[in-house]
Amino acid sequence: MSKGQSVLGYKGIYFIAAMFLLAFIFLYMHSAFANYQTGKIQCTKSSVQEIMIAKVLYGPCVTYTDPQTQQSIPGTIDISKFTNETLDTCFSFITEKMKLTLNEKRVGDSIYDPYYMNKTIWVYDGEKKENSILQFTFEEPPC
Amino acid sequence: MLNKKAQTEDLGIEIPFAIVLTIIGVIALTLVAADYNWSTDRVKGALHGGTTVHAFDAKFMGTDLENTLKLQVGDYTFGELIAYMPRNYQEVQDPSLFEGMLWDKWLIDGLACDQELYTEINHYLSPVYGKYWQIKAYYHDEEIFSCYPADILYGFGPIQTNMILPTLDPQETVFVQLKVYQ
């Protein structure tokens, strides 16, 4: 062997391979953790569903408005507003699917993987009012 | 020959060394991930109002309590019955309220719901909370009324919502509580 010439021996090859392997393991694990955390942060389906419930119960979309005070009464449904058109208008910017069932009357989308929840409600039909149960149907949150 | 032996001995140390480093790296990453996870959960917990029960049905309980207080039982709403309770819980002053609606507990100063009132409330709340609901009323920090299914199933929680109602005495109020177990 002439002077100055280096030889890549068994040890050198081993170190290169080990370095590649460790770097690969580190990058893979870092990527896996990052993806997991991103997925966890981006999972907002249940939060969106809560916003939709709040909008139905408290918003002016379907709640009864007192004709004297012009105030919406939370936890009520004005049966004349309980239509698909009202729902489409109120949730036009939300892609999440929802179906509402009130006394056999259904409005909203078809849900194939349903998740139900009930809430107490007072239904106003003109001057008449009665207590009832409003059923919300959502798609099962995937996360 | 001597060099080859030296190389073999070196590798004998380096392989375990590499394994130990890998394990340390994995533990470090796991700890970082766990810390991040904990932070994320704390933020989510704050968004959920710090409640430990995350059941969907337990949200928006305020409207359920408010709607229940509007239930008509006989000539009164449930809320009106509660307004009468402070003057009836130690000594019955309005006997007409105790005909199916309220029940004077024996031996202790306190009221409970009788059959008619219980049926109305249970019919309304059971589709939402099953047998996990409990309504209590407090007057001057003293429990004066309670109503819940006889076979109530206690579980995790409870989570609760509160409301303050006026009494017949304009200077006094009653603290009403809906508790839900999960």
Side-chain angles (χ1 to χ4, degrees):
Chain A
M1 191 188 305
S2 60
K3 200 176 178 183
Q5 189 180 359
S6 63
V7 176
L8 195 61
Y10 180 70
K11 193 175 174 181
I13 292 169
Y14 164 76
F15 271 117
I16 291 168
M19 204 177 292
F20 268 103
L21 186 68
L22 285 174
F24 174 76
I25 289 171
F26 180 81
L27 288 174
Y28 175 79
M29 291 195 65
H30 183 268
S31 164
F33 280 126
N35 285 341
Y36 172 72
Q37 299 299 348
T38 308
K40 209 169 173 190
I41 294 288
Q42 287 178 342
C43 185
T44 55
K45 212 175 174 76
S46 57
S47 299
V48 172
Q49 289 173 355
E50 282 180 30
I51 290 167
M52 294 173 86
I53 294 167
K55 204 167 178 181
V56 169
L57 291 176
Y58 303 122
C61 295
V62 291
T63 52
Y64 176 74
T65 304
D66 189 314
Q68 290 180 331
T69 61
Q70 291 301 309
Q71 296 290 313
S72 297
I73 303 174
T76 62
I77 295 280
D78 185 341
I79 202 71
S80 63
K81 294 181 184 175
F82 194 69
T83 59
N84 274 312
E85 290 74 28
T86 313
L87 219 60
D88 290 343
T89 311
C90 284
F91 297 106
S92 55
F93 297 106
I94 298 179
T95 54
E96 182 70 32
K97 286 182 176 179
M98 177 177 71
K99 185 171 77 178
L100 299 175
T101 308
L102 179 67
N103 300 339
E104 308 296 322
K105 188 178 178 183
R106 293 185 177 84
V107 296
D109 311 292
S110 298
I111 311 286
Y112 296 106
D113 188 13
Y115 178 86
Y116 304 100
M117 71 165 284
N118 296 328
K119 294 309 290 179
T120 59
I121 212 87
W122 280 87
V123 184
Y124 284 76
D125 187 2
E127 292 296 308
K128 287 192 300 179
K129 71 169 187 174
E130 61 171 1
N131 58 313
S132 188
I133 298 293
L134 177 67
Q135 185 180 67
F136 291 83
T137 310
F138 294 104
E139 285 178 330
E140 186 79 47
C143 45
Chain B
M1 190 65 191
L2 192 66
N3 283 342
K4 273 188 181 177
K5 193 179 176 183
Q7 276 181 355
T8 313
E9 279 171 1
D10 283 351
L11 284 176
I13 299 166
E14 286 154 1
I15 289 173
F17 185 66
I19 291 169
V20 168
L21 278 182
T22 311
I23 290 168
I24 290 169
V26 168
I27 290 169
L29 279 172
T30 309
L31 288 175
V32 168
D35 180 56
Y36 193 81
N37 230 349
W38 181 76
S39 310
T40 313
D41 287 345
R42 277 199 65 179
V43 172
K44 285 189 172 179
L47 288 173
H48 283 97
T51 54
T52 51
V53 180
H54 296 287
F56 220 44
D57 291 17
K59 298 279 157 54
F60 311 108
M61 285 171 60
T63 52
D64 290 327
L65 177 58
E66 191 184 340
N67 284 338
T68 307
L69 292 170
K70 291 177 187 170
L71 282 176
Q72 192 76 29
V73 191
D75 295 333
Y76 304 92
T77 63
F78 180 35
E80 285 169 343
L81 282 175
I82 289 174
Y84 277 92
M85 284 175 188
R87 74 171 197 177
N88 281 281
Y89 85 102
Q90 285 177 324
E91 192 179 342
V92 175
Q93 305 280 328
D94 304 290
S96 62
L97 302 179
F98 292 81
E99 293 168 3
M101 292 182 282
L102 297 180
W103 178 62
D104 193 9
K105 287 181 189 171
W106 295 325
L107 301 175
I108 52 170
D109 289 336
L111 305 172
C113 48
D114 210 344
Q115 191 61 38
E116 192 182 346
L117 178 60
Y118 168 75
T119 307
E120 281 289 333
I121 298 174
N122 190 49
H123 181 257
Y124 201 36
L125 289 181
S126 61
V128 184
Y129 300 116
K131 290 175 180 172
Y132 297 91
W133 61 269
Q134 191 177 47
I135 293 178
K136 289 187 173 185
Y138 296 87
Y139 178 65
H140 291 166
D141 296 329
E142 193 176 342
E143 185 184 313
I144 59 168
F145 171 77
S146 63
C147 187
Y148 47 86
D151 49 351
I152 184 171
L153 301 167
Y154 291 99
F156 296 113
I159 54 168
Q160 63 193 49
T161 187
N162 311 313
M163 198 169 277
I164 293 171
L165 293 186
T167 66
L168 295 180
D169 180 352
Q171 306 294 324
E172 302 288 350
T173 55
V174 177
F175 185 78
V176 187
Q177 195 172 62
L178 169 64
K179 279 184 179 179
V180 175
Y181 295 85
Q182 202 72 42

